Amino acid sequence: MEYIVALLIIAIIVILYIKQPNKVYDVVIGSLVDTLKSKEGEIVYGLYNKLPQSIKDKVDTKTIAEIVSFTIGVVADLLGKKETIK
């Protein structure tokens, strides 16, 4: 049953993409960037915890947060959604 619902959703997205490709692209990219921004804290936390101790001694979470924020801004610019960097 879940497969049928998933296929219907994919079919609707494909039909909308064929009719209005720019609008669908904007919605998908906007959703992706918004999701990245909402998960930014978790990304920083996960990335910082994965760093080796020698690097953790030299940087703090604020530096990692700036790098993640800048990276999300670059991704948004590359994909076409203009975002301001914090």
Side-chain angles (χ1 to χ4, degrees), residues 10-37:
I10 292 171
I12 290 170
I13 291 172
V14 168
I15 290 169
L16 288 174
Y17 182 76
I18 291 170
K19 291 186 176 215
Q20 298 176 335
N22 292 336
K23 185 171 182 153
V24 173
Y25 181 79
D26 290 343
V27 169
V28 170
I29 296 305
S31 175
L32 175 68
V33 171
D34 291 343
T35 301
L36 284 174
K37 285 187 161 290

Side-chain angles (χ1 to χ4, degrees), residues 30-79:
S31 175
L32 175 68
V33 171
D34 291 343
T35 301
L36 284 174
K37 285 187 161 290
S38 70
K39 301 286 185 182
E40 189 171 345
E42 295 174 28
I43 294 169
V44 170
Y45 179 77
L47 183 62
Y48 186 76
N49 286 336
K50 298 283 184 189
L51 291 174
Q53 189 60 42
S54 60
I55 296 175
K56 282 185 183 179
D57 293 339
K58 297 176 185 174
V59 298
D60 58 352
T61 55
K62 184 178 178 184
T63 305
I64 300 297
E66 289 174 2
I67 292 169
V68 169
S69 177
F70 179 73
T71 305
I72 291 172
V74 169
V75 167
D77 288 345
L78 287 174
L79 295 177

